[in-house]
Amino acid sequence: MKKMIVLVICTILAVICGMYGITVLATGSGTGFFLVWFGLAAVCLGIGVAGYFGVWGILPVTLKKIILILAGIVILSFVIIEGCVISKMNEQGAERLDYIIVLGAQVRTSGPSKVLQYRLDRAAEYLEENPNTVCVVSGGQGKNEPYPEAKGMAEYLIQKGIPEDRLIPEEKSKTTEQNISNSMKLMKEDASVGIITNDFHVFRALQIAKGQGLDQACGIAAKSNNKYLPNNMLREYLAEIKYLVRKVVHLA
């Protein structure tokens, strides 16, 4: 009976992960991250089947210990990293900054994606409240984009009533690291800087900025769609692991 319960629970989780992966795919985000949810569905189903057929009971004791240790590390790291992400999700930055940097995201023929619109709407709001702040819109052109992200971002803000002379396009960046480093070249030294991105991305964006010397940079959180928050939070966890591994390898 217990084995059947485990199989049913794991099957339900697999279906949930698979359906959510389809939901994420339907957003047309331009990335293949939705595949992770299909992978999780396969893992859940595999655990259920293995439990039903008693595979765990025949594994060597050493292998069981290794699996449990690895699972514990993953769970602990997930809790810590997600706690850090959550701690920065309501950052509002400081007033009267010299510059704000709006990090790019996907643009389509019809204009900025919804994720990017959230960032740009927050930028427009900040610029209206702080008339002396200059805005760097940062983002290059991806393979699935009709034009550089910075171009679409600038056009959107101009339509929102922001004067063109307050906008500095940066059209070469393909990653958050490049967004920061390339934008720094367009700003005066020792200027006060705010970084605008979606709430789930603020922690890592600030981490990257400070790693590149923008020690006084502050985060300005734009909202995000709660429907896709699980996907974004999982993506941030994996991105943070990748960032930390690269940092360790670089130091080594």
Side-chain angles (χ1 to χ4, degrees), residues 42-174:
V43 169
C44 289
L45 190 59
I47 291 173
V49 172
Y52 183 78
F53 288 104
V55 174
W56 179 259
I58 63 176
L59 292 177
V61 175
T62 301
L63 182 56
K64 288 182 181 179
K65 290 181 178 179
I66 292 173
I67 292 174
L68 289 174
I69 290 172
L70 290 176
I73 291 173
V74 170
I75 292 171
L76 181 61
S77 64
F78 185 83
V79 170
I80 292 173
I81 290 174
E82 296 298 351
C84 292
V85 171
I86 292 170
S87 72
K88 296 295 183 181
M89 290 181 71
N90 293 312
E91 292 289 294
Q92 295 303 314
E95 296 180 354
R96 296 183 291 278
L97 294 168
D98 296 319
Y99 296 92
I100 55 172
I101 301 172
V102 186
L103 303 184
Q106 189 183 33
V107 293
R108 305 185 177 98
T109 304
S110 58
S113 60
K114 195 64 179 178
V115 167
L116 186 53
Q117 285 182 34
Y118 287 140
R119 301 180 187 185
L120 294 170
D121 288 343
R122 183 67 185 93
E125 180 182 292
Y126 186 92
L127 292 168
E128 289 172 357
E129 295 172 351
N130 299 272
N132 293 321
T133 301
V134 175
C135 177
V136 179
V137 285
S138 176
Q141 182 175 2
K143 294 181 180 179
N144 60 343
E145 294 178 310
Y147 44 77
E149 293 167 2
K151 178 179 182 293
M153 294 161 74
E155 291 176 351
Y156 185 90
L157 288 174
I158 290 171
Q159 291 174 2
K160 284 281 185 177
I162 305 301
E164 186 173 359
D165 60 8
R166 294 181 66 191
L167 303 175
I168 303 177
E170 185 287 297
E171 299 185 349
K172 297 181 180 179
S173 300
K174 299 297 176 73

Side-chain angles (χ1 to χ4, degrees), residues 98-99 187-193 214 216:
D98 296 319
Y99 296 92
M187 302 183 300
K188 297 178 181 178
E189 292 186 11
D190 301 321
S192 56
V193 181
L214 278 179
Q216 302 303 318

Side-chain angles (χ1 to χ4, degrees), residues 191-210:
S192 56
V193 181
I195 298 174
I196 295 185
T197 188
N198 302 97
D199 47 15
F200 58 82
H201 189 225
V202 173
F203 169 72
R204 189 161 57 90
L206 285 177
Q207 187 180 39
I208 292 170
K210 292 179 181 181

Side-chain angles (χ1 to χ4, degrees), residues 166-184:
R166 294 181 66 191
L167 303 175
I168 303 177
E170 185 287 297
E171 299 185 349
K172 297 181 180 179
S173 300
K174 299 297 176 73
T175 66
T176 301
E177 287 89 343
Q178 292 175 5
N179 285 141
I180 303 298
S181 61
N182 290 339
S183 295
M184 288 173 63

